[in-house]
Amino acid sequence: NAGVTQTPKFQVLKTGQSMTLQCAQDMNHEYMSWYRQDPGMGLRLIHYSVGAGITDQGEVPNGYNVSRSTTEDFPLRLLSAAPSQTSVYFCASSYSFLSTGGEKLFFGSGTQLSVL
Amino acid sequence: GIQVEQSPPDLILQEGANSTLRCNFSDSVNNLQWFHQNPWGQLINLFYIPSGTKQNGRLSATTVATERYSLLYISSSQTTDSGVYFCAVSGNTPLVFGKGTRLSVIA
Protein backbone atom coordinates (compact mmCIF):
# COMPACT_ATOMS: atom_id res chain seq x y z
CA ASN A 1 0.00 0.00 0.00
CA ALA A 2 1.21 3.49 -0.83
CA GLY A 3 -0.84 5.09 1.99
CA VAL A 4 -1.51 8.81 1.48
CA THR A 5 0.20 10.27 -1.58
CA GLN A 6 0.59 14.01 -2.12
CA THR A 7 1.88 15.78 -5.21
CA PRO A 8 3.81 17.92 -5.85
CA LYS A 9 6.36 17.96 -3.02
CA PHE A 10 7.48 21.51 -3.81
CA GLN A 11 5.83 24.34 -5.71
CA VAL A 12 6.58 28.01 -6.31
CA LEU A 13 3.76 30.25 -7.51
CA LYS A 14 3.40 33.90 -8.37
CA THR A 15 0.70 35.95 -6.70
CA GLY A 16 -2.59 35.45 -8.49
CA GLN A 17 -1.77 32.09 -10.04
CA SER A 18 -3.97 29.09 -9.38
CA MET A 19 -3.00 25.51 -8.77
CA THR A 20 -4.25 22.19 -7.42
CA LEU A 21 -2.55 20.11 -4.76
CA GLN A 22 -3.29 16.45 -5.28
CA CYS A 23 -4.02 13.92 -2.55
CA ALA A 24 -4.83 10.26 -3.00
CA GLN A 25 -5.18 7.38 -0.55
CA ASP A 26 -5.45 3.66 -1.24
CA MET A 27 -6.69 2.55 2.20
CA ASN A 28 -10.42 2.96 1.47
CA HIS A 29 -10.64 5.70 4.09
CA GLU A 30 -13.89 7.63 4.27
CA TYR A 31 -12.43 10.65 6.05
CA MET A 32 -9.91 12.94 4.35
CA SER A 33 -8.64 16.36 5.34
CA TRP A 34 -6.21 19.14 4.48
CA TYR A 35 -4.05 20.95 7.03
CA ARG A 36 -1.57 23.76 6.68
CA GLN A 37 1.46 24.09 8.92
CA ASP A 38 3.05 27.44 9.65
CA PRO A 39 5.96 28.09 12.04
CA GLY A 40 4.78 28.15 15.65
CA MET A 41 1.14 27.54 14.67
CA GLY A 42 0.84 23.78 14.71
CA LEU A 43 -1.45 22.29 12.08
CA ARG A 44 -4.64 24.09 11.16
CA LEU A 45 -7.52 22.45 9.35
CA ILE A 46 -8.46 23.92 5.96
CA HIS A 47 -11.20 21.60 4.64
CA TYR A 48 -12.33 18.06 5.30
CA SER A 49 -14.56 15.38 3.82
CA VAL A 50 -16.43 12.53 5.51
CA GLY A 51 -17.13 10.72 2.26
CA ALA A 52 -17.49 11.10 -1.49
CA GLY A 53 -19.60 14.11 -2.34
CA ILE A 54 -19.41 15.61 1.17
CA THR A 55 -17.04 18.41 2.15
CA ASP A 56 -16.95 20.98 4.92
CA GLN A 57 -14.85 23.93 6.04
CA GLY A 58 -12.25 23.84 8.73
CA GLU A 59 -10.57 26.60 10.70
CA VAL A 60 -8.88 28.42 7.77
CA PRO A 61 -10.87 27.76 4.55
CA ASN A 62 -10.62 31.15 2.83
CA GLY A 63 -8.84 31.06 -0.52
CA TYR A 64 -9.15 27.30 -0.92
CA ASN A 65 -11.64 24.99 -2.63
CA VAL A 66 -12.06 21.23 -2.37
CA SER A 67 -14.17 18.52 -3.93
CA ARG A 68 -14.52 14.79 -3.28
CA SER A 69 -15.76 12.96 -6.35
CA THR A 70 -14.22 9.61 -5.37
CA THR A 71 -13.29 7.93 -2.09
CA GLU A 72 -9.62 7.91 -3.09
CA ASP A 73 -8.99 11.53 -4.14
CA PHE A 74 -9.29 14.85 -2.33
CA PRO A 75 -7.65 17.71 -4.28
CA LEU A 76 -7.08 21.16 -2.78
CA ARG A 77 -7.39 24.14 -5.14
CA LEU A 78 -5.85 27.53 -4.62
CA LEU A 79 -7.96 29.90 -6.67
CA SER A 80 -5.71 32.99 -6.67
CA ALA A 81 -2.52 32.43 -4.71
CA ALA A 82 -1.44 35.01 -2.14
CA PRO A 83 1.83 35.28 -0.18
CA SER A 84 -0.15 34.48 3.00
CA GLN A 85 -0.71 31.00 1.56
CA THR A 86 3.00 30.23 1.71
CA SER A 87 3.02 27.18 3.95
CA VAL A 88 3.48 23.43 4.16
CA TYR A 89 0.31 21.57 3.28
CA PHE A 90 -0.56 18.11 4.57
CA CYS A 91 -3.29 15.77 3.47
CA ALA A 92 -4.52 13.20 5.99
CA SER A 93 -7.00 10.34 6.03
CA SER A 94 -8.67 7.93 8.42
CA TYR A 95 -11.31 5.19 8.26
CA SER A 96 -13.73 7.18 10.32
CA PHE A 97 -14.26 10.83 11.05
CA LEU A 98 -15.03 10.22 14.71
CA SER A 99 -12.43 7.46 15.20
CA THR A 100 -14.79 5.74 17.62
CA GLY A 101 -13.15 2.45 16.74
CA GLY A 102 -9.66 3.74 17.44
CA GLU A 103 -8.83 4.60 13.87
CA LYS A 104 -5.64 6.58 13.56
CA LEU A 105 -5.09 9.57 11.28
CA PHE A 106 -2.45 9.04 8.58
CA PHE A 107 -0.60 11.87 6.85
CA GLY A 108 0.92 12.33 3.43
CA SER A 109 4.48 13.61 3.09
CA GLY A 110 3.49 17.23 2.57
CA THR A 111 3.72 19.93 -0.09
CA GLN A 112 5.94 22.95 0.49
CA LEU A 113 4.35 25.90 -1.28
CA SER A 114 5.91 29.32 -1.76
CA VAL A 115 3.90 32.22 -3.18
CA LEU A 116 6.00 35.14 -4.39
CA GLY B 1 -13.93 25.01 19.97
CA ILE B 2 -11.56 22.82 21.92
CA GLN B 3 -8.29 24.44 22.94
CA VAL B 4 -5.09 22.39 23.13
CA GLU B 5 -1.98 23.48 24.99
CA GLN B 6 1.29 21.59 24.92
CA SER B 7 4.23 22.00 27.24
CA PRO B 8 7.07 22.59 27.24
CA PRO B 9 7.37 24.30 23.85
CA ASP B 10 11.02 23.32 23.57
CA LEU B 11 13.08 20.61 25.23
CA ILE B 12 16.76 19.73 24.91
CA LEU B 13 17.94 16.37 26.24
CA GLN B 14 21.15 14.45 26.46
CA GLU B 15 20.95 11.06 24.80
CA GLY B 16 19.76 8.47 27.32
CA ALA B 17 17.66 10.87 29.37
CA ASN B 18 13.93 10.50 30.01
CA SER B 19 11.27 13.13 29.29
CA THR B 20 7.59 13.87 29.79
CA LEU B 21 5.55 15.95 27.37
CA ARG B 22 2.18 17.28 28.44
CA CYS B 23 -1.03 18.04 26.55
CA ASN B 24 -3.89 19.91 28.22
CA PHE B 25 -7.27 20.30 26.55
CA SER B 26 -10.23 22.47 27.38
CA ASP B 27 -13.22 20.15 26.90
CA SER B 28 -14.18 16.50 27.01
CA VAL B 29 -12.84 14.48 24.09
CA ASN B 30 -13.43 11.07 22.57
CA ASN B 31 -10.38 11.11 20.34
CA LEU B 32 -6.79 11.96 21.30
CA GLN B 33 -3.75 11.14 19.23
CA TRP B 34 -0.02 11.81 19.54
CA PHE B 35 2.16 12.42 16.49
CA HIS B 36 5.87 12.77 15.87
CA GLN B 37 7.13 15.03 13.08
CA ASN B 38 10.69 14.06 12.23
CA PRO B 39 13.31 16.58 11.05
CA TRP B 40 12.38 15.79 7.43
CA GLY B 41 8.80 16.87 8.04
CA GLN B 42 7.12 13.47 8.03
CA LEU B 43 4.22 13.08 10.48
CA ILE B 44 3.96 9.69 12.16
CA ASN B 45 1.07 8.59 14.34
CA LEU B 46 2.35 7.36 17.70
CA PHE B 47 -0.77 6.67 19.74
CA TYR B 48 -4.53 6.75 19.65
CA ILE B 49 -5.30 7.23 23.35
CA PRO B 50 -8.53 9.02 24.39
CA SER B 51 -8.16 7.42 27.83
CA GLY B 52 -5.92 5.03 29.72
CA THR B 53 -2.31 4.05 29.13
CA LYS B 54 -0.47 2.53 26.17
CA GLN B 55 3.13 1.61 25.59
CA ASN B 56 5.13 1.09 22.43
CA GLY B 57 8.78 0.35 23.07
CA ARG B 58 10.45 3.31 24.76
CA LEU B 59 7.36 5.46 24.31
CA SER B 60 4.28 5.40 26.47
CA ALA B 61 1.26 7.64 26.83
CA THR B 62 -1.34 8.21 29.50
CA THR B 63 -4.57 10.16 29.16
CA VAL B 64 -6.63 11.19 32.17
CA ALA B 65 -9.80 12.26 30.39
CA THR B 66 -11.60 13.41 33.54
CA GLU B 67 -8.79 15.87 34.28
CA ARG B 68 -8.32 16.82 30.62
CA TYR B 69 -4.68 16.05 30.07
CA SER B 70 -2.42 13.55 28.39
CA LEU B 71 1.24 12.75 28.93
CA LEU B 72 3.77 11.30 26.51
CA TYR B 73 6.79 9.62 28.11
CA ILE B 74 10.01 9.05 26.24
CA SER B 75 12.55 6.87 28.02
CA SER B 76 16.23 6.43 27.19
CA SER B 77 15.97 9.06 24.48
CA GLN B 78 17.89 8.66 21.23
CA THR B 79 18.90 11.21 18.62
CA THR B 80 16.27 9.72 16.32
CA ASP B 81 13.60 10.91 18.80
CA SER B 82 14.34 14.51 17.80
CA GLY B 83 11.58 16.44 16.11
CA VAL B 84 8.24 17.96 17.06
CA TYR B 85 5.61 16.08 19.04
CA PHE B 86 1.99 17.04 18.48
CA CYS B 87 -1.08 16.23 20.49
CA ALA B 88 -4.43 16.36 18.66
CA VAL B 89 -7.90 16.06 20.17
CA SER B 90 -11.53 16.10 19.16
CA GLY B 91 -15.01 15.65 20.49
CA ASN B 92 -17.33 15.30 17.51
CA THR B 93 -15.27 17.50 15.21
CA PRO B 94 -12.10 17.01 13.20
CA LEU B 95 -8.88 16.77 15.18
CA VAL B 96 -7.53 20.02 16.62
CA PHE B 97 -3.76 20.15 17.00
CA GLY B 98 -1.64 21.77 19.66
CA LYS B 99 1.38 23.84 18.69
CA GLY B 100 3.75 21.03 19.56
CA THR B 101 6.82 20.37 21.68
CA ARG B 102 10.13 20.61 19.84
CA LEU B 103 12.51 17.97 21.19
CA SER B 104 16.24 17.99 20.48
CA VAL B 105 18.25 14.98 21.66
CA ILE B 106 21.99 15.60 21.75
CA ALA B 107 24.53 12.80 21.52
Side-chain angles (χ1 to χ4, degrees):
Chain A
N1 285 348
V4 181
T5 302
Q6 285 184 239
T7 56
K9 292 190 183 302
F10 302 95
Q11 183 70 48
V12 178
L13 293 177
K14 294 181 179 179
T15 297
Q17 287 185 314
S18 62
M19 78 159 296
T20 299
L21 279 63
Q22 301 291 344
C23 176
Q25 52 87 13
D26 61 357
M27 298 175 281
N28 201 30
H29 286 172
E30 289 296 324
Y31 175 68
M32 297 185 74
S33 54
W34 278 101
Y35 287 87
R36 61 176 287 174
Q37 183 177 24
D38 301 295
M41 299 292 291
L43 288 95
R44 293 182 292 169
L45 182 66
I46 305 171
H47 285 284
Y48 65 97
S49 169
V50 299
I54 306 170
T55 63
D56 206 345
Q57 296 181 351
E59 179 186 357
V60 288
N62 292 342
Y64 307 95
N65 267 1
V66 292
S67 60
R68 185 95 178 270
S69 57
T70 66
T71 298
E72 294 77 21
D73 300 298
F74 190 45
L76 178 72
R77 297 181 187 86
L78 280 69
L79 307 174
S80 178
S84 60
Q85 294 178 304
T86 293
S87 187
V88 181
Y89 292 85
F90 287 97
C91 179
S93 74
S94 175
Y95 277 112
S96 164
F97 165 52
L98 293 177
S99 294
T100 52
E103 300 90 359
K104 292 181 176 180
L105 188 68
F106 293 94
F107 280 88
S109 57
T111 296
Q112 190 164 331
L113 175 67
S114 295
V115 182
L116 306 178
Chain B
I2 295 176
Q3 304 297 313
V4 184
E5 289 189 10
Q6 292 186 242
S7 60
D10 295 281
L11 187 59
I12 301 174
L13 294 177
Q14 204 71 33
E15 199 171 26
N18 302 329
S19 62
T20 301
L21 282 58
R22 187 176 180 100
C23 171
N24 291 335
F25 43 95
S26 62
D27 207 344
S28 59
V29 300
N30 54 28
N31 186 353
L32 189 149
Q33 301 186 32
W34 283 96
F35 298 84
H36 175 222
Q37 185 171 39
N38 66 25
W40 297 270
Q42 188 179 14
L43 282 153
I44 303 298
N45 195 303
L46 298 175
F47 293 104
Y48 169 89
I49 185 164
S51 63
T53 298
K54 289 187 178 179
Q55 182 158 3
N56 184 1
R58 295 180 297 102
L59 273 60
S60 65
T62 295
T63 298
V64 183
T66 53
E67 297 187 22
R68 299 181 183 170
Y69 73 89
S70 183
L71 302 174
L72 179 68
Y73 304 97
I74 304 174
S75 64
S76 303
S77 58
Q78 301 175 357
T79 56
T80 53
D81 295 329
S82 295
V84 182
Y85 290 81
F86 290 103
C87 168
V89 306
S90 75
N92 293 317
T93 61
L95 284 172
V96 176
F97 282 75
K99 294 185 178 180
T101 292
R102 181 174 297 277
L103 174 65
S104 300
V105 181
I106 301 171

